[in-house]
Each structure stands twice: as structure tokens, then as C-alpha cells.
Amino acid sequence: MRKLLRLGLLALVCLSTLPSQGQGAQNPIIHADVPDIALIRVGDTYYMSSTTMHMSPGLPIMKSKDLVNWELVNYAYDTLGDVDALNLANGESAYGKGSWASSLRFHDDTYYVTTFAQTTGKTYIYTTKDIEKGPWKAHSFEPSLHDHTLFFEDDGRAYMIWGGGQLKMAALKEDLSGTKPGTERVLIEDATAPAGPHVGLPAEGSQLFKVNGKYYLFNIAWPKDGMRTVIVHRADKITGPYEGRVVLQDKGVAQGGLIDTPGGDWYAYLFRDHGAVGRIPYLVPVKWENGWPALGVNGKVPDTLNLPASTGLLPGVVASDEFARKKGEAALPLVWQWNHNPDNRLWSVTKRKGHLSLTTGRVDSSFLLARNTLTQRTVGPESTGETLIDVSKMKEGDFAGLALLQQRYGLVGVKSENGAKSIVVVNAQSGGPVEQEKVPLRQSKVYLKAACDFRYRKDVTNFFYSLDGKTWVRIGAPLKMAYTIPHFMGYRFGLFNYATKTPGGQVDFDYFRIHHQNTEVE
């Protein structure tokens, strides 16, 4: 009876976390880390770019037909640059850095997606005729224009607006190699002013739109003791003068812009800081009142929307992978990103058929500085990642397994020490790694699982192992996850293998399976 009751409760939990069918769309639109979103509509198809900072490949492009159900279709770049911080070399890293907020445009049959990076000190413009397949042409110039928006005037002239608090504007050269000398100007001296006098984060995140002949510049600010706030400035000319007002202050949902549907409906696309799962996208209905966009329902972010229901984030945004490849298939599906630039000599999905093989190429001092950790987003409100690894080719001092990647990370895996192997859990919630539990391993394969609970910002992960794939054993204490600014990213599942003594060890991952619910087993 107790077993039946437990199964019944598990079924109820699973049902409560699955997308609602026939009830329309619900906020958040994507319950995963997809921040700094920029949207365009081309015909009846929507495209979205986002931020993944230190990940490689980067600057993801997603596609949707209904603003709700999204799938990854491309990345603008494989690697942002070849510098120590992006390569996890010489003790340097780009955590929380790399490329930040992007701008996405379609002009004269060409797609433009732009970003900037303090890590390299450059602004980047990527162009293509085919946003889903590429190829992309890269343009870059100095300096790095913070939180810029790319904008094309009706006559084809291109501009960028950027900055924080004080916003600047300049025209771009025709060849996209930089801004035109003599065109830089202060556009708005104090774009934060509509949010009041006591602001911690000045206006940033610029996105410019032209609607019915008027210009609308979206920004966010964060009043002290308040929440993230949406500010819009309006002008009759792109050069101003601009008048501004607060257009939304609810739940901290902010930063983004405007999108319209083929049927003439308008929405604001924004995101919300939502604890350890990251910054998650919302859609907010927009009505036009006296030439201004009025966001929300009576000024509030609704829980439901008059849009099609979500079918879930699997497999469009995250997906399981058996690592079996057919002829012509990509080595890695788009759902995967490497933690920083990979060393492509040291990973393979063909070396051992049906497996991801990770080989160590150097000695590393810690998990966060180890190369070739392969990652996917975690998903709220609950999600579970599971893998099976073969550790028979590990070397002394190696550590491999399944990670929850953030500054305060958690690891469940296998260590090879003193001629023996052990299943271990490492917990870094205190700021440094602590080995919590160790269990001797006397076989070459082991199943590993991490079950994440983001409900009501509980933000807890429990780790498990199994020797047969059927009976699971909890190991270590729960990891209390925390979104930290140094990493500036929601937690990610990661597959890792690194050496602490001798390079050359290999671990083979049979599969990675992700479930959009908690599959904890007592």
C-alpha cells in the first residue's frame, strides 16, 4: 500500500510539472536560462537570440511559429575568440563574461545578430542570408559597446545605441567595420530618470523600435529597494528629443522589447531573475494607448496568455542524447554547449560507437578550470539528468562524472585514487569544494543522477548512483543551489572528466537523459 501511495504521489507530481494542454500558454514561456532575449518576426516565423556568455558555441538562435514553442536552430559563432580566458588557460576564465546581450535584425534580405564582449574588448556583428543554416560572416571592431541595439533606418542607414544611464548613439560604417567618425552623440543624458532618484542599476539593455513613425527605446533600471523596471523613451526622430516613462514594474519582469504577430497583436518579450534555474523569458500583452505601449493586464504580468499551449522544452531547448550518430548527423546536437572553448582533439562520439569519449589532455587544479565539460541547461520547475559512464580507462588522479555547473557547483562522479576507484559527491555551496561522501566502486560502469527542484525557488539538487540502473542510492547531502553574479548563468548539467596527476585518461559516457520532472527514487 505504501508503495502504491508513493507511486500515486509521484504521478501527481509529474502531472503537475507537465505543460498544460488546451489551456493556452503560460508564463514563463521558457522555464530555463534564456536571458537578454531579442526577437524578430519574418513573415510568420519568429527568431530569438540570447546570451550564453562563456559557453561555446555561442549566441544561440531559436525559432518559433507561435512565440511559445521554441527550438534551437543555430549559433552565430563556434568560438568568440582565442584568448586565455575563453580557453580556460593559464588559470584564467571567462565566467560571467564572454559575450553579453545581443541585438537581432532582418534588413534587406540579410539577418544581423550583434553582441559585445569585455573579455575581448570588441563589438561583434554576424551576418547571414540563412539564419537557420548559415554560414555566418563575422565583423568586429573596438571598443565593446555595452548593451547596444542595432537599428536600420528606412533609408538603410545603420545605427547603434548603447550605454548605461547615459545612452549614446553613432552611425555604422557601410562595411560594418566600426562607427563612423564624427557621428557619436549623447542620445539621452539620463535614461534612468523615469525610475526615480534612488536607482542601483542605471538604465541599460537598449532595444529600439519604430512603430507608426515613432521611435520607442526600451531599457531597464533597478530602483534601490525595488525591482527591475521597464522604461520606454519615445521620440519623433531617431536623434530625439526623447520623453520617457515607466511602463512596467511587476515581479521584476524586465529587459527586452516589442514583437507583433501576423494578426496584429502585440507583446513585450522580457525576462525574470528566478533563482538558480537562471533568467527566464516571459511574454506580456501590449496595448497601444495615446501612442504609448501599455504593458500587462492592468499593469500586471499575467500567468496565462491567449497563445497556443507549450508542448514543453524537450527536445527543442534541452534533449536527451544516446550519442549514437547516423551518417551526416552533427557530432553534437545544438542543445549542447561546452564550458568555454573546447579542445577538439580530446572529445569524440566516434572513437567508441554510441558513446561520448572525454580524454584528459592536461593536469587541472579544479573542476571549474577543467576544459571540455559538456553542458545543457537545467529546466524548471523540476528536472533530472542521468548518465552511465565507463571508467575502465581512467588514470590515477582522474575525476569524472555528472555536474551541476555554477560557482557553487555540485558533482557526483568517480575518482581514481591510490589504485582504487570510488563514487564521490563534491559540494561547493560554501564557496569551495567539499567531498561529502565516498563509496568504493568495484566495477567499470556506474549510473549517476542529479535531481533538481526549482519549485518556489527551493533550488535544491539531490545526487544518486546505481550499480545496475534499477536500484538508486542517494549519496551526499543536498546541494543548495545559488545563482551567483560571478558566473551570471543558471545551473547547467555537465559531463566532465579531468586529470589531477597524469593526462591521457579516458571516460566513456553511454548516454545523457534529461527529464522535465523530478525522478528522485528513495
Side-chain angles (χ1 to χ4, degrees):
M1 176 62 73
R2 183 175 297 176
K3 183 176 181 181
L4 289 173
L5 179 61
R6 188 161 60 242
L7 289 172
L9 290 172
L10 178 60
L12 286 173
V13 169
C14 291
L15 286 172
S16 70
T17 61
L18 291 174
S20 300
Q21 299 298 321
Q23 297 180 8
Q26 298 184 8
N27 271 319
I29 293 300
I30 299 175
H31 203 143
D33 193 65
V34 185
D36 302 332
I37 49 181
L39 261 66
I40 58 172
R41 178 174 62 83
V42 180
D44 64 351
T45 304
Y46 303 93
Y47 294 102
M48 174 169 66
S49 63
S50 180
T51 295
T52 50
M53 293 180 288
H54 47 274
M55 295 291 170
S56 176
L59 221 174
I61 306 295
M62 297 186 188
K63 173 186 177 181
S64 175
K65 287 290 188 177
D66 58 15
L67 284 174
V68 175
N69 294 285
W70 294 90
E71 63 172 326
L72 278 157
V73 294
N74 211 339
Y75 290 93
Y77 63 79
D78 287 326
T79 58
L80 182 67
D82 185 14
V83 297
D84 283 354
L86 292 169
N87 292 331
L88 282 174
N90 297 317
E92 294 191 36
S93 74
Y95 287 114
K97 300 175 185 176
S99 64
W100 283 7
S102 59
S103 180
L104 181 62
R105 301 291 184 185
F106 181 66
H107 172 73
D108 196 18
D109 295 324
T110 299
Y111 294 90
Y112 297 76
V113 61
T114 72
T115 187
F116 67 102
Q118 296 176 351
T119 309
T120 60
K122 294 180 179 180
T123 298
Y124 297 83
I125 303 175
Y126 300 93
T127 61
T128 184
K129 294 290 186 178
D130 187 342
I131 194 171
E132 297 186 34
K133 298 180 180 178
W136 294 90
K137 183 177 180 180
H139 313 260
S140 64
F141 58 86
E142 296 179 346
S144 173
L145 301 182
H146 177 79
D147 273 15
H148 65 255
T149 179
L150 174 67
F151 186 81
F152 288 94
E153 262 292 20
D154 296 336
D155 61 7
R157 288 180 297 174
Y159 297 89
M160 275 192 175
I161 297 170
W162 71 93
Q166 183 192 75
L167 303 182
K168 295 182 178 181
M169 182 181 78
L172 287 180
K173 296 178 181 178
E174 283 73 13
D175 63 0
L176 307 179
S177 62
T179 58
K180 288 184 178 180
T183 64
E184 182 175 322
R185 61 186 294 165
V186 174
L187 189 67
I188 303 175
E189 183 62 47
D190 183 9
T192 312
H198 306 294
V199 174
L201 177 70
E204 62 176 19
S206 292
Q207 294 199 35
L208 183 66
F209 306 88
K210 189 176 184 180
V211 182
N212 294 329
K214 290 185 180 291
Y215 299 84
Y216 297 88
L217 180 60
F218 275 64
N219 293 100
I220 70 152
W222 199 327
K224 292 180 179 178
D225 301 319
M227 67 182 72
R228 290 162 50 89
T229 299
V230 183
I231 298 171
V232 169
H233 283 82
R234 184 183 72 173
D236 293 322
K237 297 180 180 180
I238 191 172
T239 53
Y242 283 84
E243 56 176 328
R245 61 171 61 175
V246 170
V247 297
L248 184 69
Q249 195 173 58
D250 184 44
K251 300 178 182 176
V253 176
Q255 190 164 338
L258 292 170
I259 193 74
D260 67 338
T261 70
D265 294 325
W266 288 84
Y267 291 89
Y269 54 87
L270 308 163
F271 70 82
R272 181 184 187 185
D273 295 273
H274 206 65
V277 76
R279 298 181 287 170
I280 59 180
Y282 280 66
L283 285 176
V284 179
V286 171
K287 292 183 179 180
W288 291 91
E289 298 177 354
N290 300 318
W292 287 91
L295 274 62
V297 178
N298 297 320
K300 299 296 182 182
V301 176
D303 293 326
T304 60
L305 298 160
N306 187 27
L307 289 167
S310 172
T311 58
L313 304 188
L314 285 71
V317 179
V318 297
S320 297
D321 194 343
E322 300 297 315
F323 299 119
R325 302 290 180 257
K326 297 178 182 178
K327 186 177 181 179
E329 287 185 333
L332 291 174
L334 295 173
V335 293
W336 290 112
Q337 287 177 286
W338 297 99
N339 178 22
H340 292 66
N341 295 343
D343 185 336
N344 291 316
R345 302 169 300 172
L346 301 174
W347 68 271
S348 175
V349 291
T350 58
K351 189 174 184 178
R352 180 178 177 185
K353 188 176 181 180
H355 292 75
L356 167 71
S357 299
L358 296 180
T359 303
T360 62
R362 68 184 193 190
V363 171
D364 284 299
S365 59
S366 71
F367 163 69
L368 290 180
L369 292 177
R371 291 189 79 172
N372 286 15
T373 295
L374 189 60
T375 79
Q376 283 199 46
R377 294 170 178 84
T378 56
V379 174
E382 298 175 280
S383 54
T384 299
E386 177 188 331
T387 190
L388 167 63
I389 64 173
D390 185 329
V391 296
S392 58
K393 297 180 181 179
M394 293 180 81
K395 290 195 172 185
E396 177 73 16
D398 288 358
F399 187 16
L402 177 63
L404 263 297
L405 173 60
Q406 232 274 357
Q407 184 188 41
R408 299 179 184 179
Y409 59 86
L411 312 173
V412 58
V414 176
K415 278 188 176 181
S416 179
E417 297 176 303
N418 301 318
K421 295 182 178 70
S422 302
I423 307 166
V424 300
V425 162
V426 172
N427 185 312
Q429 69 183 37
S430 64
V434 176
E435 188 175 295
Q436 290 186 322
E437 189 173 349
K438 179 184 293 187
V439 177
L441 179 66
R442 297 182 177 87
Q443 58 189 55
S444 61
K445 295 183 179 182
V446 63
Y447 300 80
L448 305 170
K449 180 187 290 187
C452 305
D453 188 349
F454 300 106
R455 293 173 299 170
Y456 312 108
R457 300 198 185 183
K458 185 177 179 181
D459 292 351
V460 168
T461 293
N462 286 294
F463 295 102
F464 302 84
Y465 74 91
S466 174
L467 300 178
D468 58 9
K470 299 176 182 179
T471 302
W472 291 90
V473 180
R474 189 194 303 266
I475 182 171
L479 170 70
K480 184 65 176 76
M481 297 179 285
Y483 186 96
T484 69
I485 296 302
H487 275 213
F488 215 8
M489 185 176 288
Y491 275 77
R492 284 184 167 239
F493 293 114
L495 305 180
F496 71 94
N497 179 31
Y498 70 96
T500 64
K501 292 185 177 180
T502 305
Q506 177 181 319
V507 167
D508 298 323
F509 294 82
D510 191 293
Y511 60 80
F512 173 79
R513 294 172 187 160
I514 184 168
H515 308 279
H516 193 177
Q517 69 252 14
N518 193 318
T519 60
E520 277 193 26
V521 178
E522 295 292 345

